Amino acid sequence: MSVSALHDSSSAAYKKAQRLHQKTTKNRSTAVESEWTPFRAAEKFYKARFPPPNLSNVLDLATLDDSRSSEIEAGYWLGRAEAVEYAELPLKNASDARKAYAIPAIPGLIVLPSFLSHQKQRELIQWSLSDQAKPPNPTNLDIHYALPEQGIWNVSLRARHNPGVDQLVQPRIAEACSSEPTGPRQLINNEPATTDNLKSIIDTPKPPAAPTTTASPAFCSELCRKLRWANIGWFYHWGTKQYDFGKGKAPVHETLRNVCREAVQVVDWDQIYDGTDLDWGDEAFSWKHWDESYEPDAGIVNFYQTKDTLMAHVDRSEVCATAPLVSISLGNASVFLIGGVTRDVEPIPILLRSGDVVIMSGPACRRAYHGVPRILENTLPPHLSDTGDLAWTPYAEYMETTRINVNVRQVFPKDFVPDVDGLLVSLIQC
């Protein structure tokens, strides 16, 4: 079913979807919607499969760039540059043709459209699947399966030419005393990390997650579509929403580190923060030194399939609470929502396309609720499609229904290594 057909109310596909929608929602109480926060209402609107959401209120900075017209035309979805107020910023290097845009409503939110070249996008996609989604970096699948050391993607690549090498992966055995929680998933509101509570965070027990009891043996080639995240740098403990510093830190790949540092360094932060009155706490004026002090040391690679979402949340596990968080979009486009310090603030919707980079920085932006309610199907740009390059073909096929988001942040000041003894006196300005 094509996206364009669902937008055409006279099409058979539209009428069929309408009948299904009416059937599945006829008993839905309207009282539920009245209890939604503004953020939840926006999530529901953009997540809806029928009627398909109108993106006329979504900021789409790609529409300002004629060189991206083929990319926009390849997919059906389209926002507007006029949908949200923005301010164009000259980059520090005047010869750099790329552009940066600030969103005045959320101080510290920067969008760098098409920041990555087509070749760099391909490199990062290959790195995400071949290099990062394997030991020593935990993934969502490691909890439930005993995965091969070379990584499921690399095994599946070899199996394309020789199916006999595809490995049947066995599920991990759950302990008899462990039981999976029933009912709705419980939300965890972790305490923001600070220099004052860091020792407490380090001492908090972080037991391993229990494997599911329902997993069945599966081949590596089958598991690739079930990959949802891979850890970067400091190991994150999802059960407590805190970093598990006892496990140490895996190295951040040089290519990724350079991309993130370049994104932070091309922005003239004086234009963003000079003259503002924001509560920086102990990190006042830290933005003046980000050119040198910013050092990405943790993050996650998110692998979204077209029906996946990321609900509203706040990132507050980093001691460097206002340092830039760099978010890289690869593959299919998405709607990104970002609001305020509570879900009661109506979020701003932004359409992010492959190669776009978002920087969330400062006390207002880093503590803002944000999420991804929609991956926009059929929006893979032509430069990531299958062009007959045999080495790229497996990646192109995978990316047809995938968005990869590489999300990187700074947990500690540059060159700092956490040590319980003398911890608080060792921490310096981020």
Side-chain angles (χ1 to χ4, degrees):
M1 187 182 298
S2 70
V3 176
S4 58
L6 278 179
H7 283 79
D8 180 3
S9 60
S10 65
S11 71
Y14 181 95
K15 293 175 181 178
K16 180 179 179 181
Q18 184 180 46
R19 289 193 298 270
L20 179 62
H21 175 73
Q22 291 171 343
K23 180 180 179 180
T24 56
T25 60
K26 65 179 180 179
N27 296 322
R28 182 181 297 172
S29 172
T30 56
V32 174
E33 297 184 15
S34 66
E35 299 174 359
W36 289 344
T37 64
F39 205 114
R40 185 59 175 157
E43 287 177 325
K44 287 288 189 178
F45 176 79
Y46 292 109
K47 184 180 179 180
R49 296 291 155 177
F50 186 90
N54 184 324
L55 302 190
S56 60
N57 290 326
V58 179
L59 177 63
D60 189 356
L61 293 169
T63 60
L64 300 174
D65 186 350
D66 291 339
S67 69
R68 303 186 80 175
S69 58
S70 61
E71 176 183 348
I72 294 173
E73 292 167 4
Y76 185 87
W77 303 96
L78 183 68
R80 295 186 305 121
E82 302 81 16
V84 175
E85 181 186 358
Y86 62 84
E88 183 176 338
L89 304 172
L91 301 186
K92 283 186 177 180
N93 183 355
S95 63
D96 194 332
R98 296 172 298 183
K99 296 181 179 179
Y101 297 89
I103 311 300
I106 304 178
L109 179 62
I110 308 295
V111 183
L112 301 166
S114 200
F115 186 73
L116 301 179
S117 69
H118 293 177
Q119 180 58 35
K120 186 62 69 176
Q121 292 173 47
R122 286 193 174 202
E123 288 179 16
L124 285 176
I125 289 171
Q126 291 172 316
W127 164 81
S128 297
L129 290 164
S130 296
D131 298 330
Q132 196 64 24
K134 68 176 186 180
N137 311 301
T139 72
N140 62 298
L141 294 175
D142 284 282
I143 299 169
H144 310 292
Y145 289 93
L147 302 179
E149 283 294 314
Q150 60 267 51
I152 58 172
W153 178 262
N154 296 321
V155 172
S156 69
L157 281 184
R158 288 192 289 274
R160 290 174 67 92
H161 305 290
N162 182 5
V165 304
D166 201 356
Q167 295 185 31
L168 184 65
V169 180
Q170 299 296 326
R172 296 188 185 278
I173 300 175
E175 295 182 9
C177 60
S178 67
S179 60
E180 295 182 53
T182 59
R185 184 179 62 174
Q186 299 298 309
L187 296 178
I188 300 172
N189 290 317
N190 62 318
E191 184 180 4
T194 67
T195 56
D196 294 327
N197 66 6
L198 188 52
K199 186 178 185 303
S200 172
I201 290 174
I202 292 175
D203 292 341
T204 298
K206 299 176 179 66
T212 180
T213 58
T214 60
S216 301
F219 286 99
C220 288
S221 55
E222 298 172 320
L223 290 175
C224 287
R225 291 285 177 186
K226 296 183 179 181
L227 185 63
R228 289 298 178 269
W229 56 261
N231 194 82
I232 299 172
W234 289 110
F235 294 99
Y236 193 74
H237 187 267
W238 292 89
T240 58
K241 288 192 174 181
Q242 298 172 347
Y243 290 99
D244 190 349
F245 301 115
K247 288 187 175 181
K249 181 183 71 170
V252 177
H253 194 277
E254 184 177 5
T255 297
L256 177 62
R257 176 182 178 273
N258 290 342
V259 166
C260 294
R261 284 184 55 81
E262 181 190 12
V264 171
Q265 290 171 352
V266 299
V267 177
D268 186 347
W269 295 105
D270 286 347
Q271 295 186 62
I272 307 300
Y273 290 121
D274 241 352
T276 60
D277 184 19
L278 299 172
D279 183 9
W280 290 80
D282 294 336
E283 297 176 20
F285 301 107
S286 60
W287 49 272
K288 288 184 173 293
H289 312 289
W290 283 343
D291 276 9
E292 297 297 329
S293 66
Y294 172 69
E295 185 61 51
D297 58 5
I300 186 171
V301 181
N302 290 303
F303 300 90
Y304 296 92
Q305 297 302 304
T306 48
K307 291 187 178 181
D308 291 339
T309 61
L310 178 65
M311 305 309 289
H313 66 285
V314 177
D315 300 302
R316 49 190 173 194
S317 303
E318 294 76 38
V319 172
C320 289
T322 62
L325 181 156
V326 179
S327 178
I328 302 167
S329 293
L330 303 164
N332 281 275
S334 69
V335 175
F336 172 67
L337 298 178
I338 180 166
V341 294
T342 72
R343 294 180 178 89
D344 293 323
V345 177
E346 184 174 357
I348 289 174
I350 303 174
L351 201 161
L352 297 178
R353 301 180 183 273
S354 192
D356 294 348
V357 170
V358 168
I359 301 178
M360 296 173 60
S361 69
C365 189
R366 281 299 311 272
R367 290 295 181 255
Y369 275 90
H370 57 282
V372 180
R374 184 64 171 260
I375 308 302
L376 299 171
E377 57 271 29
N378 302 320
T379 52
L380 187 72
H383 61 268
L384 296 181
S385 300
D386 191 355
T387 58
D389 178 354
L390 295 181
W392 178 250
T393 294
Y395 296 93
E397 292 176 355
Y398 175 81
M399 295 303 297
E400 281 291 335
T401 59
T402 306
R403 174 190 183 241
I404 293 178
N405 168 241
V406 187
N407 192 292
V408 190
R409 63 285 305 272
Q410 180 173 5
V411 179
F412 289 118
K414 187 175 182 179
D415 299 326
F416 174 80
V417 177
D419 176 35
V420 175
D421 296 329
L423 181 64
L424 301 184
V425 298
S426 298
L427 285 168
I428 57 175
Q429 187 181 65
C430 295

